């Protein structure tokens, strides 16, 4: 795995718009305020030609121009790292115009972005064997005041922080709009993680209820959701159980909406990547944007049947934008995810600070990581090896 040099004092940050740019509010004002902050911190800035453009469909410009911008700025020695302006809808259409061979041969540099940027963060790792950062896009750095997750992202780019911890609260509904472009996260919800362990223990009530009632999980090659001793058929409050969760592997993942779109295309080299790193194993981090619970379940099925989860050591699942606190056809987000993963007998942590319901911890895609949790809090310790 190739790791870029960290951003140095007075270094140059480059900006590209391979998905949406910052042409409209509140993103334009947020981006301008972020630029002011970075300049005050001593950084030089290099903006790509598409940063303020709104001429494409679901992306900033025509796919060819976006692909060329991304290739040119990644290979350009005048900037030290790249931050994407934003997410969007159709970044996949630029991939035929991205010169991955040229990027593979170039000096590696950090690329930061999430959501639609999975089309590059994921492929930079699996196609070019180069680490990337799944984390906030440029306009988010314009909020006042900055949330710790934004500081964490900058500290990561500078090599000052490689251990990330979950945050106390999260945002269900944003207050940011055209008239309030600097609005910070609206942190109204308390963070509560859920887990499923290889021995069947879980703190997800829906998984407990399923144990002993769904015979489909009794097959020899599939472990029940929870052991018989853990099943309670009463409404009595259970004593809190101490858990010691820890697992290691190489981080890989992103937004499932984008990942299943890449699956089966000529850009899908996941099985080869997994074979290359089979000794370390893979920790998958996954989250969804527009997928509802049935969409998430279909995506998990598709990735599982494509062999992507071979050599997996564990799963980190972000909060689902359309699945938090809802049920469809009698299942919730935990069941939508876990029923596809029982047979792997690995830890699954859910409702984490990854993805579209902020804050989101920055994660280095391709890095070796150790995940540690007591069932209430968690941290991800990343190493560049």
């Amino acid at each position: 795995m190739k790791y870029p040099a960290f951003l140095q004092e007075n270094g140059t940050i480059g900006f590209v718009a391979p998905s949406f740019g910052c042409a409209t509010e509140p993103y334009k004002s947020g981006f301008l305020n972020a630029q002011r902050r970075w300049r005050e911190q001593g950084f030089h800035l290099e903006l790509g030609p598409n940063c303020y453009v709104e001429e494409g469909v679901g992306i900033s410009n025509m796919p060819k121009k976006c692909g060329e911008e991304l290739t040119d700025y990644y290979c350009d020695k005048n900037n030290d790292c790249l931050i994407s302006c934003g997410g969007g809808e159709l970044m996949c259409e630029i991939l035929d115009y991205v010169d991955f061979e040229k990027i593979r041969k170039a000096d590696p540099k950090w690329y930061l972005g999430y959501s639609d940027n999975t089309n590059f963060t994921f492929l930079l790792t699996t196609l070019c064997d180069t680490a990337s950062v799944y984390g906030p896009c440029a306009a988010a750095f314009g909020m006042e005041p900055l949330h710790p997750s934004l500081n964490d992202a900058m500290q990561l780019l500078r090599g000052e922080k490689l251990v990330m911890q979950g945050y106390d609260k999260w945002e269900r509904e944003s207050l940011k709009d055209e008239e309030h472009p600097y609005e910070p996260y609206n942190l109204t919800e308390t963070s509560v993680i859920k887990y499923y362990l290889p021995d069947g223990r879980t703190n997800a009530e829906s998984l407990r209820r399923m144990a002993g009632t769904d015979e489909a999980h009794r097959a020899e090659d599939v472990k029940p959701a929870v052991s018989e001793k853990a099943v309670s058929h009463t409404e009595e409050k259970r004593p809190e159980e101490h858990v010691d969760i820890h697992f290691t592997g190489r981080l890989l993942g992103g937004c499932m909406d984008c990942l299943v779109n890449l699956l089966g295309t000529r850009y899908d080299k996941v099985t080869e990547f997994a074979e290359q790193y089979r000794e370390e194993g893979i920790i998958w981090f996954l989250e969804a944007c527009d997928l509802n619970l049935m969409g998430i379940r279909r995506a998990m099925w598709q990735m599982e049947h494509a062999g992507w989860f071979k050599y997996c050591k564990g799963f980190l699942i972000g909060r689902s934008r359309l699945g938090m606190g809802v049920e469809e056809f009698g299942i919730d987000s935990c069941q939508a995810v876990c029923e596809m993963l029982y047979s792997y007998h690995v830890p699954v942590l859910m409702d984490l600070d990854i993805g579209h319901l902020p804050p989101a911890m920055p994660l280095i895609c391709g890095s070796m990581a150790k995940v540690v949790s007591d069932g209430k809090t968690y941290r991800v310790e990343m190493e560049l090896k």
Side-chain angles (χ1 to χ4, degrees):
M1 183 62 56
K2 293 182 290 186
Y3 295 100
F6 290 114
L7 179 64
Q8 300 299 306
E9 186 175 358
N10 299 321
T12 299
I13 306 173
F15 299 92
V16 289
S19 190
F20 280 147
C22 293
T24 61
E25 296 295 354
Y27 309 106
K28 185 174 182 178
S29 291
F31 185 35
L32 289 171
N33 198 45
Q35 292 178 55
R36 176 196 58 77
R37 176 178 279 125
W38 280 313
R39 287 194 176 97
E40 288 177 354
Q41 293 171 350
F43 294 111
H44 304 284
L45 309 181
E46 183 185 32
L47 274 64
N50 296 323
C51 288
Y52 295 118
V53 175
E54 191 182 13
E55 298 179 6
V57 178
I59 52 178
S60 62
N61 209 330
M62 298 300 103
K64 186 174 187 295
K65 291 184 177 180
C66 289
E68 290 173 346
E69 178 195 55
L70 182 55
T71 301
D72 292 345
Y73 273 66
Y74 189 91
C75 299
D76 187 353
K77 296 183 181 298
N78 291 321
N79 66 75
D80 302 308
C81 69
L82 289 182
I83 301 179
S84 175
C85 283
E89 298 293 343
L90 292 175
M91 186 176 167
C92 57
E93 294 186 357
I94 83 167
L95 296 179
D96 292 345
Y97 304 101
V98 176
D99 191 337
F100 284 101
E101 186 61 29
K102 185 176 180 180
I103 288 172
R104 185 183 296 110
K105 294 177 180 178
D107 293 335
K109 66 177 58 171
W110 292 114
Y111 180 93
L112 171 64
Y114 87 114
S115 188
D116 207 20
N117 289 278
T118 297
N119 286 284
F120 192 61
T121 57
F122 187 77
L123 295 184
L124 191 58
T125 300
T126 56
L127 297 186
C128 303
D129 211 32
T130 301
S132 61
V133 183
Y134 195 75
C137 295
F141 290 89
M143 71 173 61
E144 296 286 358
L146 277 183
H147 184 270
S149 61
L150 282 303
N151 289 321
D152 285 347
M154 287 306 300
Q155 286 185 288
L156 188 155
L157 291 178
R158 300 194 64 176
E160 299 169 349
K161 184 174 183 179
L162 296 180
V163 177
M164 300 298 163
Q165 295 181 304
Y167 309 105
D168 293 336
K169 291 183 177 294
W170 57 278
E171 173 186 272
R172 185 180 292 274
E173 297 290 340
S174 175
L175 299 180
K176 183 181 294 185
D177 56 27
E178 294 181 5
E179 296 180 356
H180 305 88
Y182 312 136
E183 195 71 20
Y185 293 140
N186 180 31
L187 303 174
T188 60
E189 312 297 316
T190 299
S191 297
V192 178
I193 68 172
K194 298 183 178 69
Y195 60 81
Y196 166 78
L197 303 182
D199 61 8
R201 284 180 294 168
T202 177
N203 67 345
E205 186 61 28
S206 58
L207 298 182
R208 290 184 185 274
R209 291 198 304 266
M210 287 179 59
T213 63
D214 190 343
E215 296 300 325
H217 298 148
R218 300 294 186 181
E220 292 182 0
D221 62 338
V222 179
K223 199 174 186 67
V226 62
S227 63
E228 292 290 344
K229 292 182 180 180
V231 178
S232 171
H233 298 288
T234 72
E235 297 300 322
E236 295 179 6
K237 181 176 177 61
R238 299 178 184 84
E240 291 202 12
E241 184 177 28
H242 173 74
V243 294
D244 182 15
I245 305 169
H246 56 275
F247 51 101
T248 62
R250 197 167 290 276
L251 287 173
L252 186 66
C255 179
M256 283 187 278
D257 308 50
C258 302
L259 292 175
V260 295
N261 195 51
L262 295 171
L263 195 155
T265 69
R266 65 190 179 97
Y267 301 104
D268 177 4
K269 302 297 181 183
V270 173
T271 54
E272 293 90 337
F273 182 88
E275 286 291 340
Q276 179 180 353
Y277 293 107
R278 62 186 297 174
E279 296 301 318
E280 296 102 328
I282 305 297
I283 295 176
W284 280 92
F285 64 92
L286 300 169
E287 56 98 7
C289 176
D290 294 329
L291 298 179
N292 59 18
L293 293 186
M294 294 299 106
I296 290 172
R297 184 157 171 148
R298 287 190 292 268
M300 297 297 294
W301 182 93
Q302 191 171 359
M303 289 186 284
E304 197 275 332
H305 281 74
W308 279 23
F309 297 154
K310 191 176 183 181
Y311 309 123
C312 66
K313 292 296 188 71
F315 291 87
L316 306 176
I317 310 296
R319 291 181 290 268
S320 169
R321 192 169 68 88
L322 300 182
M324 290 298 292
V326 303
E327 289 191 2
E328 292 181 22
F329 295 95
I331 69 169
D332 62 11
S333 58
C334 294
Q335 292 160 302
V337 168
C338 281
E339 286 193 275
M340 294 296 160
L341 304 180
Y342 293 143
S343 61
Y344 293 100
H345 308 302
V346 297
V348 181
L349 298 182
M350 292 166 281
D351 294 354
L352 306 187
D353 294 310
I354 304 171
H356 287 77
L357 289 176
M361 64 171 65
L363 295 174
I364 301 177
C365 188
S367 68
M368 279 298 296
K370 178 180 180 181
V371 178
V372 179
S373 175
D374 61 4
K376 297 179 181 178
T377 62
Y378 63 97
R379 68 179 184 272
V380 181
E381 305 170 2
M382 294 172 284
E383 291 186 84
L384 308 188
K385 65 179 185 179

